[in-house]
């Protein structure tokens, strides 16, 4: 099946079979506004059906030896790798990111699945030295049960793998709800999962109204965990709803990530890294840099290196060869970026590049915003407090380490931070001082499959990646066993 610009209908997956509904939801290409596909708009009864089937499938899936669960996951990864090009084209078409980035995301998706296929075999328990003779204190690790997985639009393939793979490896059964704007890649990945002949009901995928599906999953006491990646606003709501049946929650939420550049940094490397991080996926990256704090002594030199990089970025639909930046996901995303830039400029920021929506030839029907560099950004601007989630780099200035640490921490978020310096003792102080879940020192790459990624404060609870990502789907059972 090759993906074209024609309308395609993608079925949901419930209890191992294709599920559809009378109502369908359109999926649009954000570069053109054209409808590229339709997915079911499920009603409450169908979502309940998905929970029923996951609940029924749980005991035998949980009882399966980890090695056997691993085989399904490896088979799934192989099918994704085989169809990498085709899946990447679908991802790029639906989400807007350049094909080069989409190819990387699909490769990463398979890599995550393979990693958890192995890690599931290492979910070890523990034996604790007992206090009394003839006694053993044992700790078992068990799968949590049925889990609801809710994924965002920015990495709509990788986030599926980051949740489904550890959940299945742990022995949980799942109901996945992808974002409304990017359900097709999740459905295409699921089709390949179903081709592994996974037992019916182990993995289910539902699309439709977020509040209907959310309410259904959250109000059902059989769903024992919710793993959510998305905005802090929705995450807070889910956390409130989870309280009703005391579900376990993992929340991977928004950020307001600072990058701090000291005078002793390698400025060429810093400029290249900051631009690569900031403009990846059109700025729609949770750990994307929101604020660049440049020391006053090197501010102009750093801007002089950043500016030509920003000016050279090629904006185009994701399938155009050489595209560096595609469109934003929708009109609301463009309006948010416009509002933040307008507010910053009104309060004294200078536009060095971009600063406007692109509307000319090839851009008119899509959601394109020019790669933007703002200087003279100050702490009283909305852009310094809200997650931009768009292709806008902001430069602020600082004088002292104490001042920049205080400003970097003055936010409700705590997802990622970056620092560029060659002073080892300063690196140590900054690592201690930053209130954040993840730190990049002299580099901005953070998301590695084997490492525990996640936020503190209003950026989230729990970790994805690494053994910790598997543990999120397990609960401990402690047994005091008296043998005599
Ligand atoms: P979003 O608007 O919060 O949506 C995320 C998911 O939640 C979507 O599937 C959405 O469905 C669903 N949803 C919305 N309302 C819901 C409700 N009442 N009940 C249940 N589900 C509901 O976020 P997004 O725009 O897709 O993604 C961007 C955000 O994700 C950013 O803030 C970014 O920082 C964050 N993010 C964080 C990480 C991390 O690791 N920390 C990674 C990636 C992204 P619909 O699309 O159908 O509304």
């Amino acid at each position: 099946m090759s993906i074209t610009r024609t309308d395609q209908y993608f079925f949901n997956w419930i209890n191992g079979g294709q599920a559809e509904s009378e109502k369908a939801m359109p999926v649009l290409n954000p570069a053109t506004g054209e409808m590229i596909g339709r997915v079911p708009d499920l009603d409450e009864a169908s979502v309940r059906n998905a929970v029923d089937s996951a609940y029924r499938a749980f005991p035998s899936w949980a009882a399966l030896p980890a090695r056997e669960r691993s085989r399904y996951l490896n088979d799934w990864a192989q099918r994704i790798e085989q169809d990498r090009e085709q899946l990447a084209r679908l991802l790029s078409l639906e989400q807007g990111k350049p094909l080069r980035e989409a190819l990387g995301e699909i490769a990463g998706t398979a890599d995550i699945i393979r990693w958890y296929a192995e890690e599931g075999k290492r979910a070890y328990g523990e034996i604790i030295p007992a206090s009394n003779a003839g006694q053993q204190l044992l700790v078992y690790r068990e799968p949590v049960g049925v889990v609801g997985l809710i994924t965002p639009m920015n990495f709509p393939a990788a986030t599926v793998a980051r949740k489904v793979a550890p959940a299945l490896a742990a022995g949980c059964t799942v109901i996945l709800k992808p974002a409304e704007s990017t359900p097709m890649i999740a459905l295409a990945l699921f089709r390949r999962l179903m081709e592994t002949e996974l037992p019916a009901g182990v993995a289910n995928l539902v699309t439709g109204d977020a509040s209907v599906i959310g309410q259904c999953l959250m109000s059902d006491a059989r769903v024992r965990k919710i793993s959510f990646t998305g905005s802090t606003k929705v995450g807070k709501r889910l956390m409130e709803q989870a309280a009703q049946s005391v579900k376990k929650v993992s929340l991977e939420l928004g950020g307001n990530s600072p990058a701090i550049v000291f005078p002793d940094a390698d400025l060429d490397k810093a400029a290249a890294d900051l631009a690569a991080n900031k403009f990846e996926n059109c700025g729609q990256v949770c750990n994307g840099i929101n604020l660049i704090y440049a020391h006053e002594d090197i501010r102009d030199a750093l801007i002089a290196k950043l500016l030509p990089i920003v000016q050279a970025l090629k904006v185009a639909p994701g399938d155009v060869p050489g595209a560096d930046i595609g469109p934003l996901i929708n009109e609301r995303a463009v309006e948010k970026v416009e509002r933040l830039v307008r507010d910053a400029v009104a309060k004294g920021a200078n536009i060095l590049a971009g600063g406007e929506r692109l509307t000319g030839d090839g851009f008119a029907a899509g959601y394109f915003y020019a790669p933007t560099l703002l200087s003279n950004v100050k702490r009283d601007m909305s852009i310094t407090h809200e997650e931009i989630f768009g292709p806008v780099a902001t430069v602020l200035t600082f004088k002292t380490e104490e001042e920049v640490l205080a400003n970097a921490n003055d936010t409700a978020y705590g997802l990622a931070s970056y620092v560029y310096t060659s002073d080892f003792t300063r690196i140590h102080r900054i690592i201690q001082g930053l209130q954040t879940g993840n730190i990049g020192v002299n580099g901005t790459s953070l998301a590695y499959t084997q490492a525990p990624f996640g936020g503190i404060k209003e950026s989230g609870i729990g970790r994805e990646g690494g053994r910790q990502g598997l543990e999120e789907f397990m609960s401990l059972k402690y047994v005091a066993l008296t043998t005599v």
Side-chain angles (χ1 to χ4, degrees), residues 304-332:
K305 291 178 190 298
L306 267 174
L307 186 56
I309 302 177
V310 178
Q311 287 169 329
L313 290 168
K314 178 174 172 177
V315 184
D319 58 355
V320 171
D324 295 307
I325 297 195
L328 284 157
I329 193 69
N330 56 28
E331 182 62 31
R332 215 173 53 243

Side-chain angles (χ1 to χ4, degrees), residues 258-262 264-265 270 273-274 289 293 398 401 404-405 416-423 426-431 434 438-444:
I260 305 169
V261 185
F262 285 96
D264 55 3
D273 288 357
L274 300 184
I289 295 162
Y293 287 100
F398 71 96
E401 192 179 303
V404 77
L405 264 178
S417 304
Y418 307 91
V419 57
Y420 281 80
T421 176
S422 53
D423 179 339
R426 174 183 284 142
I427 289 174
H428 188 67
R429 286 193 302 274
I430 294 279
I431 291 173
L434 282 171
N438 316 283
I439 302 181
V441 179
N442 295 321
T444 55

Side-chain angles (χ1 to χ4, degrees), residues 244-266:
Q244 295 309 311
S245 54
V246 194
K247 292 187 205 314
K248 200 170 158 91
V249 291
S250 296
L251 304 172
E252 297 281 340
L253 308 178
N256 179 10
S257 304
I260 305 169
V261 185
F262 285 96
D264 55 3
D266 175 341

